[in-house]
Amino acid sequence: MKALFWRISAVLLTIMAFPSCTTLQWRETDSEITERFQKKNIPSKVSYYAVDSLDLTIRIQEVSRPNNKINLVFFHGSPSSLSAWNAYLQDTTLLKKANMIAIDRPGYGYSNFGDEMPDITLQADIMSALFKAYELENVIAIGSSYGGPLAARVAVLNSNVKGVVMISPAIDPEQEKHIKGVLWTQFWLTRWMVPTGYRVAGDEKMVHAKELARLEKDWKELGVPVIHIHGDKDDIVPYGNVNYTKETFPTIEIITTPNTGHEIAWGRPELIKPHVDKLIEKIVQD
């Protein structure tokens, strides 16, 4: 019995180590988000987008100014939530140039928490419809890790997306790492012990390579500017993904951040914001 206890404990520690956004798996309530932004005197609005056919509700946080023409839309990795983008939505310099919208992806945050949706194409269809419902134009889609290919896919589907920023994207099917801990999110005997966000991440991870392979034939159709930012010490999503995007995307710009790992989207926003700012200026000029 003691051996079983220690074995299960080791499994859970392994599981806790696998996600692409380890430090950002929490959920903040609407009131917690509103209170934090009020303290910084930044107007923030939380709303929900319903997809009745899927019995799904998507949570959106928006920080905007009336005269802004550019919309930055942020997609987090797994497990995570829209709170991963706090450093961006609280940036008053960015707010002078663009509205910012962060979204809880299906299964995370307060978007049907725990109900996995590993189909990237379906997620992208939902996000594209959300853009239409919210009348979002001149969009720059920004995605981290799992959110990277999602941002790119939405750009294929929706002509209102004028640029894409992929940060540490898990996008090359051949580069997908096999992580043993994920298997324990799939077994009924151990699945119940795994935190909900990690279970959803495990379900996504199990089919991610297959999902990416389904999408890759369409990347050549993506004519908008695409920026791929990746740390050269990333031990979760291999740096080799840059070779894939370089060969596959017709308008790709590769940005390598030296001596950095997978955490750059939320842990090192100062490395990301200048490239977002540059893309905003390009789209405004165009």
Side-chain angles (χ1 to χ4, degrees):
M1 184 64 69
K2 184 179 291 187
L4 179 61
F5 170 79
W6 287 111
R7 184 174 298 176
I8 290 174
S9 297
V11 167
L12 291 177
L13 287 173
T14 302
I15 290 169
M16 296 297 283
F18 86 77
S20 62
C21 293
T22 307
T23 60
L24 287 170
Q25 58 170 319
W26 73 79
R27 298 193 300 157
E28 290 185 297
T29 65
D30 296 355
S31 59
E32 288 172 336
I33 291 172
T34 300
E35 181 180 356
R36 181 151 40 77
F37 277 77
Q38 283 179 342
K39 287 180 178 178
K40 294 181 177 294
N41 199 30
I42 298 174
S44 171
K45 176 183 177 182
V46 177
S47 59
Y48 288 82
Y49 172 70
V51 185
D52 294 334
S53 60
L54 297 173
D55 194 23
L56 171 66
T57 304
I58 300 293
R59 185 172 72 163
I60 301 105
Q61 182 189 3
E62 179 180 357
V63 175
S64 62
R65 290 176 52 163
N67 295 324
N68 285 342
K69 303 299 183 183
I70 303 294
N71 293 289
L72 308 181
V73 181
F74 297 89
F75 301 116
H76 62 77
S78 56
S80 190
S81 73
L82 58 78
S83 295
W85 304 105
N86 282 337
Y88 301 81
L89 271 65
Q90 294 175 355
D91 189 319
T92 53
T93 301
L94 271 179
L95 182 56
K96 291 177 181 178
K97 300 180 179 182
N99 303 319
M100 290 175 280
I101 300 97
I103 298 175
D104 277 336
R105 292 198 297 104
Y108 298 103
Y110 281 82
S111 295
N112 286 42
F113 186 56
D115 295 339
E116 70 281 353
M117 184 182 289
D119 187 327
I120 299 176
T121 298
L122 180 56
Q123 287 198 39
D125 288 341
I126 293 167
M127 299 307 166
S128 181
L130 185 154
F131 286 10
K132 182 177 180 181
Y134 278 69
E135 299 182 343
L136 298 179
E137 299 180 345
N138 300 316
V139 172
I140 297 176
I142 302 172
S144 171
S145 196
Y146 185 103
L150 175 59
R153 179 62 184 175
V154 175
V156 171
L157 298 175
N158 195 311
S159 61
N160 284 325
V161 179
K162 306 302 183 183
V164 175
V165 179
M166 300 189 296
I167 308 168
S168 312
I171 196 166
D172 180 358
E174 299 299 323
Q175 291 280 329
E176 270 301 283
K177 296 175 65 175
H178 175 68
I179 301 175
K180 293 180 180 179
V182 174
L183 297 176
W184 297 95
T185 69
Q186 305 300 302
F187 297 151
W188 67 269
L189 189 61
T190 54
R191 183 175 172 86
W192 66 273
M193 295 184 289
V194 181
T196 302
Y198 290 84
R199 293 201 301 269
V200 176
D203 292 338
E204 290 180 340
K205 189 69 173 176
M206 288 296 294
V207 299
H208 193 53
K210 182 179 178 181
E211 287 294 308
L212 293 174
R214 290 174 56 197
L215 302 178
E216 60 183 349
K217 68 181 185 303
D218 295 331
W219 295 140
K220 63 181 182 296
E221 300 178 12
L222 192 51
V224 301
V226 180
I227 300 174
H228 177 172
I229 307 173
H230 217 114
D232 62 0
K233 303 297 183 183
D234 195 325
D235 60 350
I236 294 176
V237 176
Y239 179 71
N241 276 266
V242 302
N243 298 323
Y244 177 82
T245 55
K246 190 182 301 182
E247 295 172 358
T248 308
F249 285 76
T251 59
I252 196 73
E253 178 183 0
I254 305 292
I255 306 291
T256 298
T257 57
N259 301 311
T260 54
H262 192 65
E263 76 291 343
I264 55 176
W266 66 91
R268 299 292 304 277
E270 74 278 5
L271 300 178
I272 309 299
K273 290 178 184 178
H275 303 294
V276 174
D277 188 73
K278 181 180 176 181
L279 187 55
I280 291 172
E281 295 297 331
K282 176 177 174 56
I283 291 173
V284 168
Q285 291 174 6
D286 290 346

